[in-house]
Amino acid sequence: MKRISSLFLVALLSGATTLGAYKLVFDDNAETSVISVAPEQNQYNRAVSLGAENVDFTEAADKAVHAVVHVKNVSYATVSDNPWNYIFGYRGGQQQQPQIGTGSGVIITADGYIVTNNHVVQNASELEVTLNNNKSYKATLVGTDSKMDIALLKVDTKENLPYATFGNSDNIKVGEWVLAVGNPYNLTSTVTAGIVSAKARNLSKDGLQSFIQTDAAVNPGNSGGALVNTRGELIGINTMITSMTGSYVGYSFAVPSNITRKIIEDIMEFGNVQRGVLGVQGGELNSYASKELGISETQGFYVKDVVKGSGAERAGIKSGDIIVKIDDRTVNGFSDLNAAIVTKRPNDVVKVGISRDGEMITLPVRLTKNEIYSYSGLDLEDLSAADKKKLKIGYGVRIKEITDERYMPYYDELKGGIILSVDNVKAKDIETVSDILSNKRPNETTRVEMITANGQLVRFLI
């Protein structure tokens, strides 16, 4: 077996549990803030084999358009007064110029909680939402998850608002009909139809993964809108498109409803997103990687190392194991593994199916918190808000300890240093860093930019 230490990179997987009932938020006795979840169906009516002309989209569209809102984001930029004022001796100065952005959102409770994309409301000074009946409300930002591009808003109203019912996004099938509802180009209540093109799609190096891919037309302004099935149940939040022009050219992507629901439940109960980790380091298999490893399997997540003290170590997962299943979800690669873990919380137990020396084993693993991340002999930790304020930086991860002899001559400079970017992507947190590294190709070098312990800005390759 060849040495491939640079092939498999750390993938500390984050996520948290979707709970059915929360005190205050999801209590059956609560009068407000109750999220509606569709009951599971024994036979899932997908209408996959029917042509569009034989599928009735009207009921689903009618349910969705009343729950989807137009979101207006007002921010202010500081601009200088007319320079001629200075020439003629007038007292010059600066003024605040409003900038307006728009998008979509989905009402999820009768008392006015609304889910949208983080990028729709980012840097907002004022937020306003307009319903399908043209009523407008001022909105407040409750919380965000920039990693998954989800934000939660709240409007104050004495009347019950129409709201979407959450469907189970794990149950959707490739080829199933779906509707995208939103406000592209400020055209309110626009409905487009398409099919699910792929699941658990991984597009980004900065942590955004496990998208639902569809060919329903989505354009600027659709962001934060609803992706619904033919029963009108919310199965995703439309988030992005891939296009050279910035407009729809064939595919659009949505954050699955199960992931969305977990994020907003966390924000409503805890004020932030609770993430747990499995505690494995490795990478996904393919023909090239399997040949390097000398194994026959070409699908699954290969475990190169197990994090000390993690749930994976306590459960008995070992280096060389191949993770092929999490609970009832088949794991073909990192995106599948991430999708299975991202809806879980620390202390949740998942059943991990592994292939070990040709034998299938299932081990229960209790997830832990993602506090320390190890990569290539460097132990990394997140910066606290106080650290960022003290250092006057908005992002970065700290080198907590050095465990590789190669770096010992530089120990004093590296320990305590702040990594700012990995492969030109901002190191927002250790989850972002782990996701970047888990997607690297065999023998690919890693570019790191950091501030050393003595304050020097350096760049190097690992």
Side-chain angles (χ1 to χ4, degrees):
M1 184 181 297
K2 298 180 181 179
R3 179 185 172 120
I4 53 167
S5 60
S6 64
L7 171 58
F8 294 108
L9 307 169
V10 181
L12 296 181
L13 306 171
S14 59
T17 297
T18 301
L19 298 184
Y22 287 153
K23 186 178 181 181
L24 300 181
V25 179
F26 300 104
D27 194 312
D28 289 338
N29 296 321
E31 296 180 357
T32 59
S33 301
V34 178
I35 289 179
S36 175
V37 181
E40 293 292 334
Q41 298 190 2
N42 293 329
Q43 292 187 357
Y44 190 60
N45 180 21
R46 302 190 301 271
V48 171
S49 62
L50 299 178
E53 66 276 9
N54 296 318
V55 180
D56 185 1
F57 297 108
T58 58
E59 182 179 353
D62 185 60
K63 288 181 180 179
V65 294
H66 297 294
V68 174
V69 301
H70 181 268
V71 179
K72 182 170 76 173
N73 170 350
V74 181
S75 59
Y76 293 91
T78 302
V79 296
S80 298
D81 284 340
N82 191 327
W84 288 104
N85 290 341
Y86 296 96
I87 295 175
F88 292 104
Y90 297 113
R91 186 175 180 180
Q94 295 179 328
Q95 60 182 356
Q96 297 293 310
Q97 180 174 313
Q99 297 178 327
I100 298 177
T102 60
S104 304
V106 184
I107 305 171
I108 57 171
T109 66
D111 63 330
Y113 278 100
I114 297 169
V115 63
T116 184
N117 286 144
N118 178 65
H119 76 261
V120 170
V121 299
Q122 197 166 16
N123 302 320
S125 297
E126 302 170 15
L127 289 168
E128 181 182 271
V129 299
T130 302
L131 277 60
N132 190 52
N133 61 8
N134 293 325
K135 287 187 177 180
S136 295
Y137 300 87
K138 295 294 183 183
T140 56
L141 181 62
V142 180
T144 67
D145 181 4
S146 59
K147 180 180 176 67
M148 293 305 299
D149 199 18
I150 292 295
L152 184 65
L153 311 179
K154 179 69 168 65
V155 298
D156 291 326
T157 174
K158 295 182 179 179
E159 60 182 310
N160 289 333
L161 301 180
Y163 57 88
T165 296
F166 276 81
N168 186 344
S169 55
D170 288 345
N171 284 346
I172 63 171
K173 305 295 182 182
V174 173
E176 179 180 342
W177 284 106
V178 289
L179 300 179
V181 186
N183 304 281
Y185 304 117
N186 286 326
L187 301 173
T188 58
S189 303
T190 297
V191 180
T192 55
I195 63 169
V196 175
S197 304
K199 297 174 61 177
R201 184 67 80 194
N202 177 11
L203 298 177
S204 174
K205 288 186 176 181
D206 62 2
L208 292 172
Q209 295 171 4
S210 304
F211 286 109
I212 299 170
Q213 178 182 326
T214 80
D215 66 353
V218 170
N219 280 293
N222 271 112
S223 292
L227 186 71
V228 302
N229 59 23
T230 53
R231 295 188 299 278
E233 298 163 356
L234 184 67
I235 59 168
I237 298 297
N238 296 316
T239 298
M240 67 170 61
I241 59 178
T242 55
S243 169
M244 298 297 292
T245 65
S247 297
Y248 172 78
V249 292
Y251 295 112
S252 55
F253 303 89
V255 180
S257 60
N258 287 4
I259 295 176
T260 301
R261 180 183 166 200
K262 178 265 169 185
I263 290 170
I264 60 178
E265 287 174 350
D266 280 357
I267 291 173
M268 293 170 83
E269 183 172 9
F270 301 103
N272 55 46
V273 180
Q274 304 288 300
R275 304 193 192 279
V277 297
L278 193 60
V280 294
Q281 304 173 358
E284 61 183 50
L285 292 174
N286 53 40
S287 295
Y288 184 88
S290 298
K291 183 178 179 180
E292 288 275 316
L293 287 164
I295 59 178
S296 59
E297 292 91 338
T298 58
Q299 289 185 314
F301 185 88
Y302 182 86
V303 179
K304 182 177 180 290
D305 292 304
V306 180
V307 177
K308 291 183 179 179
S310 67
E313 183 191 47
R314 296 190 186 104
I317 294 179
K318 300 177 181 179
S319 175
D321 287 345
I322 300 171
I323 298 175
V324 295
K325 205 164 191 178
I326 298 289
D327 292 332
D328 296 325
R329 182 190 292 267
T330 299
V331 174
N332 293 319
F334 178 72
S335 293
D336 295 316
L337 186 55
N338 183 68
I341 298 298
V342 76
T343 55
K344 307 297 180 183
R345 281 202 178 103
N347 294 320
D348 283 340
V349 177
V350 295
K351 293 183 291 184
V352 181
I354 61 175
S355 173
R356 178 184 295 170
D357 300 325
E359 181 182 358
M360 294 301 300
I361 303 172
T362 300
L363 298 173
V365 178
R366 185 176 297 276
L367 303 181
T368 54
K369 288 186 177 181
N370 190 6
E371 297 176 343
I372 300 294
Y373 166 77
S374 298
Y375 171 66
S376 189
L378 303 175
D379 290 348
L380 309 179
E381 65 178 354
D382 281 329
L383 294 177
S384 66
D387 290 333
K388 293 176 184 177
K389 184 176 180 180
K390 180 180 178 181
L391 296 169
K392 297 181 179 179
I393 57 177
Y395 59 92
V397 296
R398 178 186 283 113
I399 299 177
K400 181 180 177 65
E401 192 54 78
I402 298 168
T403 59
D404 194 308
E405 291 294 330
R406 294 176 298 165
Y407 304 127
M408 290 307 170
Y410 316 101
Y411 185 89
D412 292 337
E413 291 83 3
L414 292 178
K415 184 176 179 181
I418 308 298
I419 293 178
L420 299 176
S421 69
V422 177
D423 288 343
N424 298 321
V425 178
K426 289 181 179 179
K428 298 176 183 177
D429 49 37
I430 56 179
E431 290 180 58
T432 300
V433 173
S434 69
D435 288 336
I436 296 168
L437 297 174
S438 65
N439 289 298
K440 294 183 71 65
R441 296 187 297 272
N443 302 318
E444 185 179 5
T445 57
T446 301
R447 297 179 298 278
V448 176
E449 180 183 60
M450 67 170 292
I451 300 174
T452 64
N454 56 17
Q456 291 183 318
L457 180 65
V458 299
R459 298 177 179 86
F460 59 93
L461 299 177
I462 297 178

